Amino acid sequence: MKNNGSLQLIIPNQSFDSYKEVANLIHYITRTGKQIERANELVSYGGHGVSVSGSIEGVIEEFNQVYSWYKPLRNGCNRHIFHEYVTLSKEYADLMREKDLDELGYQLSWHYWNRGFQVVYGVHRPDQEAGHFHVHFAVNAVSRRTGKKWRADGEENQYRCDLFNRLADAFLKEKNK
């Protein structure tokens, strides 16, 4: 993804094709379940369209329930969840407190919910895999509003990258007033 700012959008190879993968990804992002030993890497997590104040298992069930509304056009359309994340440049992250990073994650994740897709985000500290602060997003593959699947091409992905950079720059400007 072309990087023109403080954030870089990363869209890993998507191989999630079962309800089990919904649980695995959400636990990974929230550093719960089998990922609890990595909890020190977590700054915060939250979401839109789900009740994160309850249990993470409840969040997973909410994702699965919405996905169950989808009627595939053909066999083989089994992806239930999408994973994306943004990395923050060191210079950008150094200008914020961890509380600010949570607020930024919340604001960025609003984009998915605004389009009708449930989302869970998790802000992570630099670790072995990523040497920068980063925000992960688990996005339900089915819109809670329309019942249709997420479709994103290169143009949409670039739009999201540019949007996130504009939002992040505006966020930082507002914080430094």
Side-chain angles (χ1 to χ4, degrees):
M1 190 72 34
K2 188 171 88 178
N3 183 9
N4 294 329
S6 306
L7 308 179
Q8 182 175 5
L9 178 65
I10 309 293
I11 304 171
N13 185 20
Q14 306 289 311
S15 61
F16 309 121
D17 63 0
S18 71
Y19 286 112
K20 181 180 174 191
E21 293 303 326
V22 170
N24 289 344
L25 179 59
I26 291 174
H27 282 303
Y28 173 77
I29 288 173
T30 61
R31 296 300 198 241
T32 56
K34 293 179 183 176
Q35 297 291 324
I36 195 74
E37 72 276 357
R38 297 178 68 184
N40 62 327
E41 298 168 2
L42 181 71
V43 172
S44 63
Y45 68 84
H48 298 283
V50 293
S51 180
V52 294
S53 62
S55 73
I56 292 299
E57 297 307 318
V59 169
I60 293 164
E61 180 55 37
E62 289 177 57
F63 261 67
N64 289 335
Q65 183 177 9
V66 169
Y67 187 86
S68 73
W69 301 340
Y70 179 67
K71 303 294 181 227
L73 300 174
R74 64 188 196 298
N75 289 336
C77 297
N78 296 328
R79 185 171 300 142
H80 296 188
I81 194 166
F82 284 89
H83 177 214
E84 301 183 343
Y85 63 99
V86 293
T87 61
L88 287 69
S89 70
K90 180 173 177 7
E91 297 77 22
Y92 184 85
D94 285 348
L95 296 173
M96 289 194 284
R97 299 169 301 169
E98 288 188 352
K99 177 182 172 189
D100 297 331
L101 293 171
D102 175 57
E103 190 176 335
L104 176 64
Y106 184 81
Q107 287 188 16
L108 295 178
S109 65
W110 181 257
H111 168 75
Y112 303 100
W113 179 237
N114 191 43
R115 297 187 65 206
F117 295 91
Q118 294 169 301
V119 60
V120 172
Y121 72 90
V123 180
H124 295 180
R125 293 179 180 90
D127 58 25
Q128 299 167 357
E129 296 165 19
H132 317 285
F133 277 93
H134 48 287
V135 183
H136 288 270
F137 304 102
V139 182
N140 197 331
V142 173
S143 169
R144 188 171 172 177
R145 190 178 311 138
T146 66
K148 294 185 178 179
K149 285 205 83 171
W150 171 272
R151 299 274 184 241
D153 58 19
E155 189 175 308
E156 165 63 24
N157 294 341
Q158 188 60 54
Y159 166 78
R160 211 164 42 264
C161 183
D162 294 342
L163 173 67
F164 285 177
N165 271 289
R166 286 193 309 274
L167 292 172
D169 290 345
F171 178 80
L172 187 59
K173 187 176 182 179
E174 181 66 29
K175 286 291 172 192
N176 289 324
K177 276 188 173 179

